[in-house]
Structure formats: structure tokens, C-alpha cells
């Protein structure tokens, strides 16, 4: 059994650990890029959302690399994501690929477990527990690397330092084979980041990124939005969702995640009282909380025709006005170009900068007693 | 007086006091989305509650244009039409009713309608700040029975329990009549016309069984029933001499019969389309199937693939995917409808010649 799963940001690191510690070989295709997207878009339905297209291309890459079992998370939701696995496997089979499907969430859980047990042999349950522990440790390590890098990147003295450290540590976490090793790596990581020379001016713009999960987390789809904002524009970008959150919240491994997402549901109920199946509650809550959490603006990133995010788009202008927070909508599909996105980002950031300058000037002037008169 | 009434609705107070005036409350029902499925029911119910029901006129270019301007750009054409209709009603009515359909059937797995139907009242609420929020009419069969939504709506309008029960019964009868008319082979639009005019005229030409080819059109009632959105597809099929069947003409039992051939699907309405496609692929006397979708329809983008790849097609019937949006032109739809009917005619002739040779 050679299991493959589609890419999503750095999720492959903990997922590979999970599969391999259970005792099954994992096939990890290359990181997706524009070619993967075009490959997927060629075979996918015309106006399906973007993640479908890129993960379809990813599945084809994995099958070419010799995978014989395709794993995918499915579910019975109102969002299209729940049916991805089913339809993608229909398309792949019609294209002539032969493989076994592992549709987690759609098939009977017992049937999935039987398949795993057949592949692993004895002691499957004990191994699964061990694998889950490694999985959690690696997910937390990836999360720490990403969040440290997000903070350091716009403030680094020498451009590129943060990315170099990040790349090195991601590879090390991927290669680590025990929890103890992961823990050591995290300790070294903290030392390395605290030794990194940072500029200590407090002038860095902070931007909250909300929107659809996959577009938020997959750098090949959003033109590496977080890294670009940090390294090129010197802006600290904080996505509201993370790989860690997506991987661990359905597994009940971190109670904090549950508290925060149930709060998000509660807060967004005034805007969207019913569950739509996507990340609409995080989008709404992220935009509502942005001014209080010290963000200068919000970027809303979503794929073309995404249902929950399009519904959010009718609500966000209202939030933007009532909460006085600028919101930029960025729509992504396979025709979106780097230049168009970049121009809009630059204009938005210029606007944020002048807004902040105006706010501070007003405060300074007030302190001098000019404005009061 | 009216502005006062509106203010009270906006505050979320009971409308009981607002109804103190003699004039009945004017409730607008936009002619879009679920209008083509539930209008007779809603009309009877609201009239029973003592409201005056104002339906917006059939979609025209002006309404469609306003909807396209007001709505977010990559959403399906039916939602854009909804926005146009609400805009048209704005100012004419005291409140609009946009039903919120969360789930419409109980199955052994979770079911939903489309997210856009679940959030339609919210989208209207935030896009029309000058309109009082739409009246809440929630259908969430998974959590509460269908009549619960009617009861909540009635109480909010200050109607007595007895009045609610009476209107509910009358509305259910009306809805059954509407569905029976559709079972007889009328499209939603014609069935609505017949219910309003009450005449029992001759059946429309497209339903005639004497025609040489039969085309089955599978699509949402709000696409099939709206001639401006569907670019008069039914008319063009009719004028090229085909008999037209539609997914709206099938009864629940016809659909349930297909269930075991089909995969589980959480969207109830799309499951119906899937079952209808499967029914028409096997039913006697059907020559070809048209699957009608709108650009940007979330569920349909996947369900089209399922219809193409998973629904059994034992007779090798022709299948045409037709995608509509607010830019489609009538001539484009007409050309394709005529070409499809021609193709079916040729195929039929070729097949009968083959049988003769044998």
C-alpha cells in the first residue's frame, strides 16, 4: 500500500509522519506549482473552485509517482469540499488510473479502519496512537516555525535570513523520526530565531488575511502572499487559519482550537446565523476582530465561485464601514496574474500606510494642543 | 404610518401593533429562486395571515441588469436575478419574504440545500440597508418540522394559532394543486399562470405526445421557469418540433426509485436533479437529455460531472450540458436547442433504418 494525499501548505510534513508511523509507505508528490494547476484545470469541470483543480493535478502527480491508494477527507456539508474526493476519483478513474480510494468521512469508518489494518498487519491500533502523537508534535512544530517566521520576516536586518532558517527547519522537522528529536529541533529553532538580528522600529504594518482555507495556506495559489507581504513589502501578515488548526481541530487534540472556533460561530451569528459548511465564521470574525487586535487592514482571499466566501462578500462591506477597517478582496483562479495581484496589494498597502500616518499625526497634533483649538 | 410600521419591523418587534392600522401589510415575494417551487404555498399562507402579497413581475432586462450591478460578481445568475427583484420591490412593499431553506428532507446523513439558499435572507439584509430585514421564514426539516417555520412566521405577524393552522391547511392544498398541475406536464411558469387565471385551456404544445422526438430538460425550477434566465430554451425546443419533458414534472416517487443507483449527496435539490437525470436516461420515449446549469452554481459544477460519469446510460442517450449566465444570448441557446433536436432526429432515423436492415 502506497498512500498519497494532496498538498496543502506544509501539511504534508505531519501527514507524512502519520502515514509512515502507522507503517505504510507515503508518496508525497512535488510541491504544486502553476503547471500542476494547469494540469488539474484541464481535466476538472469548468467552473469548479480552484482547490479542486490544483488538488486534482496533485493527485495525478502522485499517481505518476506510483501511489496506489488515494486518501482524501470528505464529508456531508453544504460546501463543495465534502464531495471533492468522490468526484476527483471518478475523473481519475475515467482517465485510466487504477487505485484504491480512502475517502475518510464518507465511507464507513469501520471500512476505512479495515483497509488500514489489512495494510499494516498486527498492532495497528497501538501504532496509530504512536503515529498520532508524532503527528501532533510535528504539526505543532510546523506551526511554531511558520508563526515565528511571519513575525520575523518584515523586521529582519538582512533580507532572506528568515526564509533560510524556515526552509532548513522545515526539512529537519520532516526528517525527524521521534517526538524527542522534534522537541530538540524546536528548542534550537527558538534559539536561532532569538539570535536573529531584527530591526526594532515599530512601524511595521500588520494585515489580517481571511478567506478560504486552501487559498490562504497554499503558497502556489496565492502567489506566496504571506512571504511576499513580509519580504517584499515589509508587512506582517497573519492568516486567520493555519495548517495546525485545520489538521487538529477535527481530531479533538487541542481544546483551545475548539474554544476559539465556537467563539467565532457565536460572534458571526449576528451576520450569518446558519452554518454554510466553509470557513465563513472565521472570515467574519477575523474581519470583526481585526481593529481590536491591532491590524491595519484585512485581505479577503478566495477562489472564484467559492460559495461561502461569496456570501461573506455581501457582508464584509457592511463590517468594513461599521468597524472602520479597510478590506481588500482578492479573487484567485487559474488566470489570475502575479502583476495584477501585486498592483492591488501595493495600492492597498499605500492606503493603509497613509491611513496610519494620518492617525498618528492626528494624535501628535492633539498632544501638541493644535487640534484641540 | 407606513414609515412607522417599517421602523417597527426593523426593530424586530412583533408586527401585531403595526397591524393596528386598517391597511394590510404589503409583503413582496421576489420572483426568483424558490418562487418557482413554493409561491402558491407562500401566497396562500401570507394571505391567510392577512397580508397583501405582491409578486415582482417576470424577470426583464432591467431587473436582471439591476441584479447584476448590485450583487457580487462571481455568484450564479439566479441570485443576481433575486437581487434585481428585491430592488424592484424596494419602496413598493413594507417587507419582503425571502425564504431560508436550510434542509428540506430527512435522510440518514446530513442534508442541505445550496449555501446561497441558506444565506439568501442575509445577503439581502446586508445588500439593501434601506429595506427592512426580510421576514424570517425558515425551513430546517432536520431540526424542526416544516410547519414550525410557518408557525414562527405567523406568530411574528401576530396571527392567532387557529388562524395559522387554517392558513397552513389552505396553503398546503394550494401547493398540492400546483404540484399536480406540474405532474400533468406543465412547466412551473405555466402551472402558475393556470392557477392564477383558473382556466382549463388546452395543454401547451410542448406537452403533446404526438411529436417525433422527446427532449428531457433537467435543471433547477428557477432556471427552467424563468424565460429570461433560460433564454426561452423551452420555446426553442418547442418551435423545433420536440416534445419537452422537465425534471419539475417528476413526482417524488419517480425520484426515490432511482436512489439505489446513485451516490449519496448532501444537497437535496441537486440530488433530485441527479435522480431526474437518471430517470430520463432509462425512461421510455425519451430521446435526449439537456442538463441545464448556471455559471458559478457551486453544487452543479460537481453534479454535472456525476451526471456525465456516474449516472447509468443504458440506451446511449445524447446528453447536452447547457451553461447559462447573464451574458448568454438568446440566439446562442436557440442554435444549440435546434441543433440538438436535429441531432436526435437524425439518430432516431438512422437507428430505425438499422432495425429495418436486420
Amino acid at each position: 500500500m502506497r498512500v498519497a494525499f494532496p498538498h496543502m501548505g506544509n501539511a504534508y510534513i505531519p501527514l507524512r509522519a502519520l502515514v509512515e508511523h502507522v507503517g505504510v509507505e507515503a508518496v508525497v508528490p512535488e510541491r504544486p506549482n502553476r503547471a500542476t494547476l494547469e494540469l488539474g484545470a484541464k481535466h476538472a469541470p469548468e467552473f469548479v473552485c480552484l482547490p479542486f483543480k490544483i488538488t486534482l493535478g496533485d493527485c495525478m502527480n502522485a499517481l505518476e509517482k506510483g501511489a496506489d491508494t488515494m486518501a482524501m477527507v470528505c464529508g456531508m456539508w453544504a460546501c463543495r469540499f465534502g464531495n471533492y474526493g468522490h468526484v476527483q476519483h471518478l475523473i481519475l478513474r475515467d482517465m485510466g488510473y487504477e487505485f484504491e480510494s480512502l475517502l475518510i468521512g464518507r465511507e464507513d469508518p469501520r471500512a476505512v479502519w479495515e483497509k488500514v489494518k489489512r495494510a499494516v498487519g498486527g498492532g495497528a491500533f497501538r501504532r496509530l496512537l504512536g503515529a498520532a502523537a508524532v503527528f501532533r508534535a510535528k504539526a505543532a512544530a510546523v506551526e511554531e516555525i511558520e508563526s515565528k517566521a511571519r513575525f520575523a520576516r518584515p523586521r529582519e536586518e538582512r533580507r532572506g535570513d528568515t526564509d533560510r532558517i524556515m526552509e532548513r527547519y522545515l526539512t529537519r522537522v520532516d526528517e525527524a523520526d521521534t517526538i524527542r528529536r522534534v522537541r530538540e529541533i524546536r528548542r534550537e529553532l527558538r534559539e536561532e530565531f532569538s539570535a536573529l538580528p531584527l530591526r526594532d522600529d515599530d512601524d511595521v504594518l500588520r494585515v489580517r488575511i481571511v478567506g478560504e482555507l486552501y487559498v490562504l495556506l497554499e503558497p502556489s495559489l496565492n502567489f506566496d502572499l504571506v512571504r511576499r507581504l513580509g519580504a517584499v513589502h515589509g508587512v506582517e501578515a497573519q492568516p486567520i487559519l493555519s495548517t495546525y488548526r485545520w489538521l487538529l481541530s477535527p481530531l479533538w487534540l487541542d481544546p483551545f482550537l475548539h474554544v476559539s472556533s465556537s467563539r467565532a460561530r457565536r460572534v458571526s451569528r449576528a451576520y450569518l446565523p446558519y452554518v454554510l459548511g466553509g470557513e465563513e465564521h472565521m472570515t467574519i470574525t477575523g474581519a470583526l476582530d481585526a481593529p481590536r487586535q491591532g491590524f491595519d487592514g484585512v485581505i479577503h482571499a478566495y477562489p472564484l465561485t467559492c460559495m461561502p466566501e461569496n456570501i461573506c462578500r455581501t457582508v464584509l462591506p457592511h463590517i468594513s464601514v461599521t468597524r472602520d477597517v479597510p478590506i481588500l478582496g482578492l479573487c484567485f483562479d487559474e488566470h489570475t496574474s502575479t502583476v495584477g495581484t501585486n498592483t492591488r496589494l501595493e495600492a492597498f498597502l499605500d492606503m493603509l500606510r497613509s491611513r496610519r500616518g494620518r492617525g498618528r499625526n492626528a494624535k501628535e497634533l492633539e498632544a501638541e494642543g493644535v487640534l484641540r483649538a | 404610518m407606513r414609515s412607522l410600521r417599517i421602523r417597527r419591523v426593523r426593530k424586530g418587534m412583533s408586527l401585531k401593533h403595526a397591524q393596528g392600522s386598517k391597511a394590510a401589510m404589503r409583503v413582496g415575494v421576489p420572483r426568483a429562486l424558490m418562487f418557482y417551487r413554493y409561491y402558491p404555498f407562500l401566497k396562500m399562507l401570507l394571505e391567510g395571515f392577512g397580508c397583501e402579497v405582491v409578486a415582482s413581475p417576470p424577470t426583464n432586462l432591467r431587473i436582471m441588469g439591476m441584479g447584476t450591478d448590485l450583487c457580487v460578481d462571481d455568484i450564479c445568475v439566479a441570485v443576481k436575478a433575486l437581487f434585481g427583484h428585491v430592488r424592484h420591490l424596494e419602496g413598493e412593499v413594507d417587507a419582503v419574504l425571502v425564504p431560508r431553506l436550510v434542509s428540506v428532507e430527512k435522510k440518514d446523513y446530513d442534508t442541505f440545500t445550496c449555501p446561497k439558499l441558506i444565506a439568501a435572507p442575509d445577503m439581502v439584509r446586508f445588500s439593501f440597508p434601506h429595506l427592512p430585514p426580510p421576514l424570517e421564514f425558515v425551513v430546517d426539516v432536520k431540526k424542526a418540522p416544516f410547519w414550525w417555520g410557518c408557525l414562527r412566521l405567523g406568530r411574528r405577524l401576530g396571527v392567532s394559532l387557529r388562524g395559522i393552522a387554517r392558513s397552513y391547511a389552505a396553503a398546503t392544498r394550494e401547493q398540492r394543486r400546483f404540484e399536480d398541475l406540474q405532474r400533468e406536464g406543465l412547466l412551473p411558469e405555466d402551472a402558475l399562470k393556470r392557477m392564477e387565471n383558473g382556466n382549463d385551456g388546452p395543454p401547451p404544445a410542448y406537452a403533446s405526445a404526438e411529436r417525433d422526438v422527446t427532449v428531457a430538460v433537467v435543471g433547477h425550477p428557477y432556471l427552467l421557469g424563468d424565460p429570461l434566465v433560460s433564454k426561452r430554451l423551452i420555446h426553442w425546443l418547442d418551435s423545433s418540433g420536440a416534445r419537452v419533458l422537465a425534471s419539475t414534472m417528476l413526482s417524488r416517487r419517480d425520484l426515490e426509485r432511482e436512489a439505489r443507483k446513485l451516490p449519496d449527496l448532501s444537497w437535496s435539490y441537486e440530488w433530485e436533479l441527479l435522480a431526474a437525470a437518471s430517470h430520463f436516461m432509462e425512461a421510455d420515449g425519451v430521446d435526449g437529455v439537456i442538463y441545464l446549469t448556471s455559471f458559478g452554481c457551486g453544487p452543479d459544477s460537481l453534479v454535472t460531472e456525476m451526471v456525465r460519469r456516474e449516472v447509468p446510460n443504458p440506451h446511449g442517450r445524447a446528453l447536452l450540458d447547457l451553461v447559462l449566465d447573464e451574458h448568454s444570448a438568446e440566439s446562442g441557446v436557440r442554435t444549440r436547442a435546434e441543433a440538438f433536436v436535429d441531432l436526435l432526429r437524425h439518430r432516431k432515423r438512422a437507428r430505425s433504418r438499422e432495425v429495418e436492415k436486420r
Side-chain angles (χ1 to χ4, degrees):
Chain A
M1 193 170 176
R2 290 159 64 85
V3 181
F5 40 81
H7 269 293
M8 187 181 75
N10 291 320
Y12 72 94
I13 295 173
L15 282 174
R16 192 211 303 256
L18 179 72
V19 172
E20 282 179 352
H21 279 262
V22 168
V24 183
E25 193 182 341
V27 179
V28 179
E30 286 164 39
R31 289 305 301 266
N33 47 35
R34 296 315 275 184
T36 319
L37 180 55
E38 268 161 37
L39 187 67
K42 203 159 84 186
H43 299 281
E46 184 195 356
F47 48 89
V48 76
C49 40
L50 201 51
F52 185 97
K53 294 178 181 172
I54 197 159
T55 46
L56 183 67
D58 231 14
C59 287
M60 288 165 68
N61 283 345
L63 285 165
E64 293 293 338
K65 261 185 118 179
D68 61 6
T69 306
M70 304 300 296
M72 186 73 188
V73 180
C74 297
M76 285 295 175
W77 306 308
C79 173
R80 270 177 279 190
F81 178 62
N83 286 297
Y84 270 22
H86 179 73
V87 177
Q88 281 180 338
H89 291 184
L90 276 181
I91 295 174
L92 290 171
R93 291 219 166 84
D94 276 0
M95 284 165 65
Y97 289 111
E98 282 174 16
F99 57 91
E100 204 165 330
S101 301
L102 207 61
L103 299 176
I104 299 153
R106 191 179 178 99
E107 291 173 42
D108 187 10
R110 267 169 300 179
V112 173
W113 180 236
E114 283 304 318
K115 275 186 200 169
V116 173
K117 236 161 63 178
R118 220 178 320 127
V120 177
F125 187 70
R126 211 183 54 239
R127 278 188 180 178
L128 184 71
L129 284 184
V134 179
F135 169 77
R136 190 187 189 291
K138 285 201 177 185
V142 170
E143 168 78 1
E144 190 174 2
I145 297 173
E146 285 180 351
S147 72
K148 286 232 182 304
R150 278 197 299 263
F151 179 81
R153 205 177 277 126
R155 299 176 173 86
E156 64 194 357
E157 288 275 1
R158 243 187 337 213
R159 196 193 256 196
D161 273 358
T162 315
D163 285 332
R164 266 192 294 281
I165 298 179
M166 185 172 161
E167 283 307 313
R168 201 169 68 239
Y169 275 89
L170 285 177
T171 327
R172 285 182 69 189
V173 170
D174 194 20
E175 282 162 1
D177 47 3
T178 56
I179 297 181
R180 183 174 298 165
R181 186 85 194 95
V182 174
R183 236 178 255 149
E184 282 168 21
I185 292 172
R186 279 179 78 168
R187 205 172 305 129
E188 288 169 35
L189 169 87
R190 267 174 232 141
E191 280 163 19
E192 190 131 355
F193 265 111
S194 54
L196 190 72
L198 295 180
R199 278 180 283 123
D200 54 351
D201 54 344
D202 206 23
D203 214 22
V204 175
L205 279 182
R206 295 182 75 226
V207 171
R208 173 62 100 191
I209 306 183
V210 299
E212 199 270 341
L213 174 93
Y214 199 91
V215 169
L216 238 60
L217 299 185
E218 180 51 57
S220 61
L221 274 191
N222 58 23
F223 305 117
D224 219 348
L225 193 61
V226 175
R227 203 188 58 77
R228 180 190 295 267
L229 280 173
V232 181
H233 300 286
V235 174
E236 183 187 335
Q238 296 286 358
I240 185 108
L241 298 160
S242 65
T243 322
Y244 178 75
R245 185 182 191 100
W246 187 76
L247 288 173
L248 265 74
S249 64
L251 298 176
W252 291 91
L253 286 176
D254 192 337
F256 171 73
L257 294 179
H258 273 270
V259 173
S260 84
S261 71
S262 64
R263 176 185 168 269
R265 285 264 176 237
R266 203 171 58 241
V267 169
S268 62
R269 202 169 288 157
Y271 297 87
L272 296 171
Y274 286 82
V275 177
L276 304 179
E279 287 83 35
E280 71 284 349
H281 58 300
M282 296 309 286
T283 301
I284 300 283
T285 314
L288 282 174
D289 287 348
R292 192 165 54 82
Q293 290 170 342
F295 289 104
D296 297 275
V298 175
I299 293 177
H300 181 215
Y302 58 95
L304 184 84
T305 75
C306 173
M307 298 189 281
E309 298 304 325
N310 259 315
I311 291 162
C312 287
R313 276 177 72 203
T314 59
V315 179
L316 287 178
H318 178 83
I319 295 178
S320 172
V321 172
T322 53
R323 300 282 166 131
D324 191 28
V325 52
I327 299 179
L328 170 74
L330 284 182
C331 181
F332 291 95
D333 76 350
E334 66 266 34
H335 307 295
T336 314
S337 75
T338 334
V339 185
T341 312
N342 226 357
T343 315
R344 271 181 283 168
L345 273 182
E346 277 169 17
F348 184 66
L349 295 175
D350 276 350
M351 190 268 282
L352 291 187
R353 226 162 250 136
S354 70
R355 233 175 99 93
R356 186 186 254 197
R358 203 178 59 204
R360 198 188 42 209
N361 282 351
K363 251 179 230 159
E364 279 167 9
L365 291 175
E366 198 173 354
E368 288 162 21
V370 180
L371 259 189
R372 226 173 299 142
Chain B
M1 193 63 222
R2 208 164 97 189
S3 65
L4 179 72
R5 206 185 301 150
I6 289 173
R7 209 168 310 131
R8 283 201 174 140
V9 178
R10 201 173 291 161
K11 268 186 178 168
M13 285 168 59
S14 163
L15 295 176
K16 206 173 191 172
H17 314 287
Q19 286 218 318
S21 66
K22 283 257 169 65
M25 181 174 172
R26 285 165 66 85
V27 178
V29 182
R31 195 180 284 263
L33 290 180
M34 285 300 114
F35 181 93
Y36 297 97
R37 208 182 263 269
Y38 292 123
Y39 178 62
F41 181 87
L42 292 175
K43 181 170 191 263
M44 210 58 183
L45 191 74
L46 287 169
E47 281 177 355
F49 290 170
C51 303
E52 189 189 331
V53 180
V54 184
S56 54
T59 319
N60 53 37
L61 284 174
R62 205 180 127 259
I63 290 181
M64 200 61 235
M66 288 193 299
T68 314
D69 287 347
L70 282 166
C71 201
V72 289
D73 40 15
D74 49 326
I75 212 155
C76 69
V77 59
V79 176
K80 291 180 183 170
L82 171 78
F83 272 56
H85 283 283
V86 173
R87 179 60 167 217
H88 182 93
L89 288 169
E90 201 181 7
E92 277 185 36
V93 294
D94 300 332
V96 292
L97 179 77
V98 181
R100 190 197 290 279
L101 296 146
V102 182
S103 62
V104 288
E105 59 177 353
K106 258 190 182 165
K107 279 191 175 170
D108 45 3
Y109 48 85
D110 283 355
T111 59
F112 296 93
T113 63
C114 171
K116 291 160 199 168
L117 295 176
I118 301 178
D122 301 317
M123 291 163 80
V124 169
R125 184 158 54 113
F126 286 105
S127 304
F128 295 91
H130 302 300
L131 193 77
L135 293 177
E136 267 299 274
F137 175 57
V138 185
V139 179
D140 193 355
V141 177
K142 255 185 325 180
K143 291 209 182 104
F146 183 74
W147 53 261
W148 180 249
C150 307
L151 183 80
R152 293 262 308 268
L153 178 66
R155 291 311 284 171
R156 188 149 148 55
L157 292 168
V159 185
S160 68
L161 283 179
R162 180 185 293 238
I164 292 172
R166 207 182 298 130
S167 336
Y168 178 72
T172 314
R173 273 199 301 279
E174 193 77 350
Q175 179 70 15
R176 201 169 298 142
R177 224 183 102 213
F178 176 57
E179 275 166 21
D180 287 343
L181 278 176
Q182 292 190 57
R183 298 295 100 79
E184 284 167 24
L186 288 177
L187 286 167
E189 198 201 354
D190 293 308
L192 285 172
K193 252 184 224 158
R194 187 159 293 191
M195 286 185 76
E196 268 165 38
N197 303 335
N199 65 337
D200 284 323
Y206 60 74
S208 146
E210 285 155 19
R211 297 196 159 175
D212 58 340
V213 286
T214 306
V215 179
V217 185
V218 180
H220 287 287
Y222 49 77
L223 299 178
L224 275 171
D226 193 330
L228 191 100
V229 170
S230 71
K231 305 292 163 205
R232 297 207 285 164
L233 172 70
I234 308 291
H235 171 80
W236 300 125
L237 289 172
D238 179 26
S239 67
S240 25
R243 177 182 173 217
V244 184
L245 297 176
S247 53
T248 48
M249 296 170 190
L250 298 178
S251 68
R252 189 73 207 166
R253 199 181 296 154
D254 290 333
L255 299 176
E256 294 289 356
R257 219 175 285 138
E258 309 292 322
R260 71 192 156 71
K261 282 183 246 167
L262 303 172
D264 292 349
L265 197 63
S266 47
W267 302 299
S268 302
Y269 292 141
E270 268 70 20
W271 185 88
E272 282 180 13
L273 297 187
L274 203 57
S278 166
H279 173 89
F280 286 131
M281 285 296 186
E282 285 194 26
D284 290 332
V286 178
D287 297 304
V289 179
I290 297 184
Y291 193 82
L292 194 65
T293 54
S294 61
F295 182 83
C297 174
D300 268 351
S301 60
L302 294 182
V303 174
T304 315
E305 291 299 304
M306 291 189 194
V307 169
R308 244 189 256 163
R309 298 169 194 269
E310 215 174 7
V311 168
N313 187 356
H315 308 294
R317 278 177 189 158
L319 174 73
L320 172 70
D321 287 336
L322 204 52
V323 183
L324 302 165
D325 67 4
E326 67 272 21
H327 307 296
S328 343
E330 212 166 73
S331 50
V333 171
R334 177 181 183 176
T335 316
R336 267 178 278 176
E338 285 173 355
F340 191 62
V341 172
D342 280 348
L343 167 104
L344 295 180
R345 220 168 252 146
H346 275 297
R347 263 180 99 148
K348 210 168 184 183
R349 234 174 275 149
R351 278 201 184 161
S352 62
R353 239 178 273 142
E354 251 173 49
V355 172
E356 271 171 32
K357 263 186 205 164
R358 264 184 230 149

